[in-house]
Amino acid sequence: MPFLTAETTDERDSLATFAQQQLDQIATTLVGLDRGQLASQPSASGMSLGALARHSLFVAERAAQEFAAAPEAAPVPERTAEQYQSGGTIAPDALREDDTAESLAEQLHRVAEELAAAIRGVDPETRGPVPGQPWFEGRETWSMRWYALHQIEEQARHAGHADILRESIDGKGAYELNALAAGETWPPAGW
């Protein structure tokens, strides 16, 4: 069952591998969901797994671009104000009409690989410009090491949210979902 993060070789590989693992775990929480479950808001937070997946994609896609452009600023992506609002705030309308659990999981795995490659491709000592969002107030630059750790922190927080949302929908937890995503039976022999 592919639950633990893979072994790593050095600092860059560790940062990249752990960032990728968190996004892959968010994708795993989507296994087997139908559209209604993907859009459901089973907790007091008002979050749905579909909107949370869209938010994680929003954050990770931008981060991959920023790592790849460092030490320069990444080009600003073409998004409407509505896309920034819904994707950036985990709003219910972040879920798109054509989103399915499978399509979102596929996109999460793809962007996880892109983010990992971008982290592996930059010197952790490189300093890059801080985006202009108000929650980053007071900083003008940061090291790519700090930014990679921030990405791990951000996506790990959302992987925890996703676990709780999924368990609230149908009681399936991370171990079971990882086994199912790998095509294994649940529970494994001896459990």
Side-chain angles (χ1 to χ4, degrees), residues 40-114:
S40 71
Q41 299 171 10
S43 73
S45 75
M47 266 189 237
S48 73
L49 274 170
L52 181 62
R54 274 274 154 226
H55 173 74
S56 291
L57 285 165
F58 179 90
V59 170
E61 286 171 345
R62 183 67 184 150
Q65 294 166 350
E66 290 169 352
F67 281 109
E72 303 301 321
V76 177
E78 292 185 31
R79 292 185 173 132
T80 66
E82 293 79 18
Q83 287 171 322
Y84 270 110
Q85 179 64 24
S86 65
T89 61
I90 318 179
D93 61 348
L95 186 62
R96 299 176 184 170
E97 284 186 36
D98 60 342
D99 283 338
T100 65
E102 295 79 16
S103 70
L104 286 170
E106 183 179 307
Q107 291 173 64
L108 283 162
H109 290 306
R110 177 191 48 78
V111 79
E113 290 174 6
E114 291 171 4

Side-chain angles (χ1 to χ4, degrees), residues 139-171:
R139 294 180 177 223
E140 296 200 16
T141 67
W142 52 31
S143 73
M144 294 298 103
R145 174 182 295 106
W146 185 93
Y147 190 44
L149 288 166
H150 176 67
Q151 288 304 304
I152 294 165
E153 171 192 40
E154 171 89 3
Q155 298 301 346
R157 177 179 294 120
H158 295 322
H161 293 141
D163 284 341
I164 291 168
L165 292 170
R166 179 58 190 256
E167 284 187 43
S168 297
I169 291 169
D170 64 5

Side-chain angles (χ1 to χ4, degrees), residues 126-142:
T126 300
R127 296 197 70 80
V130 174
Q133 285 89 4
W135 49 88
F136 294 133
E137 185 177 327
R139 294 180 177 223
E140 296 200 16
T141 67
W142 52 31

